[in-house]
Amino acid sequence: MYLLALKMLLGDRAKYIMLVGGLTFSSLLMTQQNGVFQGLLSWTTSHMRNMRASIWVVESRVEQVNETKALRDTDVNRVRSVDGVDFAVPLFQGVMKARAADGSDKQVQLIGLHGGTLYGRPAVMVDGDISQLRVPNTVVVDELAAQPTRLGAGLGRSLKVGDTFEINDREARVVGICKTERHFFGYPYVFTSYDQALQYAPRQRKMLSMILAEPKPGIPAEEVARRIAAETGMKAYTVPEFERSTVAWIWRNTGIPASFMTTIILGFVVGVAVSGQTFYSFVLENLKNLGALKAMGAGNGLLAGMLLFQAITVGVIGYGLGLGLTALFGLAVAQSGQPPFKLVPLYLVQTFGAVLVICVLAALFGIRKVARLEPAIVFRG
Amino acid sequence: MTPTASPHADGAVRVRGVIKTFGVGDAKTVALKGIDFSAAEGELHLVVGPSGCGKTTLLSVVAGTLDWDEGDVSVFGTRLDGMGKGAVTRFRRSNIGFIFQQFNLIPTLTLVENVSVPLLLNGAGRRTAEEKAAQLLKQVGLEGRGNKRPTQLSGGQQQRVAIARALVHEPRLLICDEPTSALDSATGHQIMDILSGVARAPGRCVIIVTHDPRTHRYADRITEMEDGRVTRVLDGAALGEFVSMTH
Ligand SMILES: Nc1ncnc2c1ncn2[C@@H]1O[C@H](COP(=O)(O)OP(=O)(O)OP(=O)(O)O)[C@@H](O)[C@H]1O
Ligand SMILES: [Mg+2]
């Protein structure tokens, strides 16, 4: 009977296409918007993956990695003296104006790494040698910064090792090109030594943005972070903690999640409305047939099962198509990385769950109607 | 559930003192006013009477598709009153075949699929069901058309498909409401021929509600109704007289 139920629905081309189309659109909207949202959220924590430090020590009011409140220089030593800390280094982080060869100003994310260890350096170098940062007035830029539209402007090509540009009127000579994960602010990364960063940045009383620390082997980072916080009064986050805190900050302080959630909920509502409406009219149009089946001895359970089976089948097809389209979108934007995009398996499963909920809701309207149907109606002309 | 064998031939269908009321207050209609009715095995039994006299209501009660207020109904010795809804549904599924005025074939399914529905509902496998369905289609003269759809057929052909569907699971009781009234005269006779041939078998009972006097001559017995009551039951010589009078 279930096979025949499917044939009944498939035979009604217009409704079938409407149902699958509605569910595809709804799935697409939900997965694609969630993908962009997750991508955007992951951009907010890209510092952590670009610098790969185990423990991030910040001023006590700082809740997210993109926010800086300056520390005193002496704070580095206070962290170093905490039991369980293998080493701790200063980090400078700030948005600076850089001047390309054509004289145009470009915003960059300047990172000053501890000159001795270069702890926090990018994982992948495309060209050049990062240890050259120990030479004065040198920088390593990421591929984004090197683009002809960014710091390559005026050269007619990408920035290369050996090229120079200016940061706040001081010369910066490129000694390396690296790969980075894109940052939320959209500014490219420029790495230099901590001391050099202080030269580039406008003079202020306190210049230390953060302290990066590594626990001694065998001691969990959480434990060491807890000790640092307790002993210094600063905040110390492990990577997962800082990621969580950053994402939570975005949820609390920006309208970004709300606007994405609105679209996602809209996708859900559209799904319920379109498929519920279509399915209900399918049931209404087939009421006589369903009544005949009922007279012939199909029970409410079987008919409900048939309607659910129909609804879930179109749901699975719609979700599959929606996910497929989302994946195509993902592939299309993967090259440029714009807009950000990240499919999180858990959310895909949840979206599938949401689509099933839509289908069950749609089927329920019909099931209610069928359950109340008197089989005797088939005798009435 | 296996219905207990009826003790005598008159016991295929027995209705005693059934009252059925629709609506409440001003809108209240008493469709059946304490009706008695019976039909025998091996019999083609017509129910006739003016429009609105309660024929369809009686048929629905006998078929177990409609609840009634008072009285007893038994079909092949099984009491339908006091039986749970689920049990009635199961009883109907295996013991009753239906033929409707509007055929009620499912338009998106093929003829074979339509005819196999009662077997599938009774738990048969798809292969078995479709083989049996093809056999039945052959019996009603639609051999080789199993893959067509109902909309590709004439009304008479569709009603033949409906007959095949009503008989495919070999029910003991066949219930037909106005099976010929949507058909022209010649086709109506064809359908009645099939019904009196294929459907009337030993141990089976066929009840037909009809407005159509052309069907009277196929009857073994006729129950005449008026205003929710039985006015006459005709058989033997009285039946012959009635048929020639109304013809
Ligand atoms: N579902 C219902 N709700 C309210 N009244 C009903 C319902 N079904 C039937 N009736 C009423 O019950 C009475 C008997 O109806 P029924 O359909 O049994 O008559 P019938 O003899 O089959 O008529 P016809 O020859 O026109 O088909 C009529 O007065 C009808 O209006
Ligand atoms: Mg009627």
Side-chain angles (χ1 to χ4, degrees):
Chain A
M1 274 321 289
Y2 287 94
L3 193 74
L4 294 192
L6 264 197
K7 285 197 160 181
M8 280 175 78
L9 184 59
L10 281 171
D12 192 339
R13 270 298 127 86
K15 294 237 168 30
Y16 173 73
I17 289 168
M18 189 76 183
L19 275 171
V20 169
L23 289 165
T24 300
F25 177 70
S26 170
S27 306
L28 173 67
L29 212 57
M30 289 193 282
T31 49
Q32 189 266 359
Q33 286 294 302
N34 195 272
V36 173
F37 178 52
Q38 296 305 326
L40 206 57
L41 278 186
S42 84
W43 275 6
T44 67
T45 57
S46 52
H47 272 352
M48 250 99 61
R49 289 177 299 281
N50 286 329
M51 290 180 251
R52 301 168 299 143
S54 301
I55 299 172
W56 298 64
V57 186
V58 289
E59 206 264 355
S60 62
R61 286 164 297 174
V62 171
E63 293 175 65
Q64 56 123 337
V65 68
N66 306 302
E67 180 187 8
T68 53
K69 286 197 163 62
L71 302 168
R72 277 190 300 271
D73 291 340
T74 50
D75 287 333
V76 181
N77 279 328
R78 293 173 61 215
V79 173
R80 282 177 182 149
S81 66
V82 172
D83 191 30
V85 172
D86 193 12
F87 60 85
V89 295
L91 182 85
F92 176 87
Q93 173 195 330
V95 176
M96 299 289 139
K97 231 182 252 166
R99 181 157 298 164
D102 68 347
S104 64
D105 285 334
K106 313 283 177 189
Q107 305 264 53
V108 297
Q109 180 85 50
L110 184 68
I111 304 290
L113 302 172
H114 178 239
T117 56
L118 296 179
Y119 185 61
R121 65 181 169 275
V124 181
M125 294 296 294
V126 184
D127 195 13
D129 175 9
I130 197 157
S131 66
Q132 293 291 309
L133 285 185
R134 296 185 181 108
V135 178
N137 297 325
T138 57
V139 293
V140 167
V141 301
D142 69 5
E143 289 173 313
L144 180 65
Q147 281 175 4
T149 53
R150 304 265 180 162
L151 294 175
L155 298 175
R157 58 166 170 80
S158 289
L159 211 55
K160 287 198 298 208
V161 170
D163 288 336
T164 59
F165 61 96
E166 285 177 5
I167 303 174
N168 284 331
D169 296 332
R170 278 176 182 272
E171 188 195 59
R173 189 163 53 82
V174 178
V175 294
I177 313 279
C178 66
K179 273 196 191 304
T180 59
E181 206 174 292
R182 201 182 175 104
H183 188 258
F184 184 55
F185 295 160
Y187 306 138
Y189 280 91
V190 173
F191 292 91
T192 187
S193 71
Y194 182 75
D195 293 334
Q196 186 65 52
L198 300 193
Q199 305 286 315
Y200 286 140
R203 201 66 219 146
Q204 272 169 339
R205 198 166 55 83
K206 293 193 283 183
M207 301 285 280
L208 176 61
S209 313
M210 294 181 174
I211 297 163
L212 304 182
E214 192 64 31
K216 285 210 169 94
I219 310 181
E222 294 77 32
E223 170 62 19
V224 176
R226 204 184 49 73
R227 286 185 206 164
I228 294 171
E231 286 180 35
T232 65
M234 291 183 279
K235 256 201 189 134
Y237 293 97
T238 61
V239 170
E241 286 166 0
F242 216 8
E243 277 175 354
R244 268 198 301 277
S245 178
T246 301
V247 169
W249 187 92
I250 298 285
W251 275 89
R252 280 197 312 275
N253 294 285
T254 73
I256 298 168
S259 75
F260 278 97
M261 283 305 127
T262 307
T263 317
I264 290 168
I265 290 168
L266 197 72
F268 184 83
V269 171
V270 165
V272 172
V274 171
S275 58
Q277 166 73 38
T278 311
F279 206 71
Y280 190 65
S281 68
F282 170 76
V283 169
L284 281 190
E285 279 169 29
N286 281 284
L287 220 48
K288 276 253 158 187
N289 296 324
L290 293 166
L293 286 178
K294 235 178 155 168
M296 288 188 272
N300 280 335
L302 176 68
L303 291 173
M306 284 167 63
L307 293 179
L308 269 178
F309 184 67
Q310 292 171 331
I312 286 173
T313 304
V314 288
V316 169
I317 295 171
Y319 177 75
L321 289 176
L323 187 61
L325 289 177
T326 303
L328 285 182
F329 172 84
L331 284 179
V333 301
Q335 205 57 44
S336 68
Q338 284 270 37
F341 193 73
K342 188 177 168 193
L343 290 180
V344 180
L346 174 68
Y347 295 125
L348 293 184
V349 172
Q350 285 178 358
T351 310
F352 183 55
V355 171
L356 290 185
V357 168
I358 292 174
C359 294
V360 170
L361 284 179
L364 279 182
F365 290 119
I367 289 171
R368 246 172 51 124
K369 188 82 195 164
V370 171
R372 291 179 179 174
L373 182 66
E374 281 275 5
I377 69 136
V378 288
F379 292 121
R380 315 243 157 244
Chain B
M1 142 138 10
T2 38
T4 49
S6 75
H8 50 85
D10 209 35
V13 173
R14 288 169 149 276
V15 172
R16 290 286 168 268
V18 164
I19 298 177
K20 172 64 187 178
T21 312
F22 290 108
V24 285
D26 282 351
K28 188 164 150 173
T29 316
V30 187
L32 299 178
K33 301 175 174 170
I35 199 169
D36 293 337
F37 170 81
S38 61
E41 280 181 18
E43 174 175 87
L44 194 153
H45 195 128
L46 293 194
V47 179
V48 303
S51 184
C53 70
K55 302 184 296 293
T56 297
T57 307
L58 174 64
L59 204 61
S60 307
V61 165
V62 169
T65 55
L66 188 69
D67 293 332
W68 62 99
D69 307 325
E70 265 177 58
D72 308 331
V73 176
S74 66
V75 177
F76 293 107
T78 302
R79 297 271 302 252
L80 296 189
D81 37 300
M83 214 191 235
K85 258 207 151 77
V88 173
T89 302
R90 283 191 295 279
F91 181 76
R92 210 162 61 219
R93 188 187 300 161
S94 50
N95 292 292
I96 304 181
F98 290 89
I99 294 172
F100 311 105
Q101 180 176 348
Q102 297 301 330
F103 326 133
N104 286 84
L105 300 171
I106 297 170
T108 46
L109 301 185
T110 65
L111 303 189
V112 160
E113 285 163 348
N114 265 290
V115 173
S116 64
V117 164
L119 289 173
L120 296 174
L121 288 177
N122 280 295
R126 198 170 143 234
R127 276 277 293 278
T128 331
E130 295 197 345
E131 274 165 22
K132 188 84 201 283
Q135 257 177 42
L136 262 290
L137 281 172
K138 186 177 167 188
Q139 278 188 41
V140 297
L142 290 169
E143 194 176 6
R145 312 232 190 148
N147 288 322
K148 290 215 177 326
R149 285 177 204 274
T151 46
Q152 295 170 288
L153 303 183
S154 69
Q157 288 171 325
Q158 289 191 48
Q159 196 60 301
R160 271 143 69 186
V161 176
I163 292 173
R165 178 175 69 178
L167 294 174
V168 73
H169 56 309
E170 297 172 5
R172 300 177 69 193
L173 176 62
L174 198 65
I175 293 241
C176 321
D177 195 7
E178 312 273 8
T180 59
S181 62
L183 305 173
D184 62 57
S185 174
T187 320
H189 278 296
Q190 266 181 30
I191 292 299
M192 286 310 292
D193 277 333
I194 295 175
L195 281 177
S196 61
V198 183
R200 187 167 28 173
R204 179 175 285 158
C205 171
V206 182
I207 302 177
I208 302 177
V209 159
T210 182
H211 260 127
D212 182 355
R214 292 167 301 164
T215 61
H216 292 171
R217 65 181 166 94
Y218 296 91
D220 297 315
R221 238 181 342 161
I222 295 183
T223 293
E224 192 184 44
M225 286 178 68
E226 201 176 321
D227 193 23
R229 291 195 180 87
V230 171
T231 47
R232 279 195 286 180
V233 179
L234 301 150
D235 53 10
L239 176 63
E241 216 171 285
F242 180 80
V243 170
S244 55
M245 252 173 61
T246 51
H247 209 61

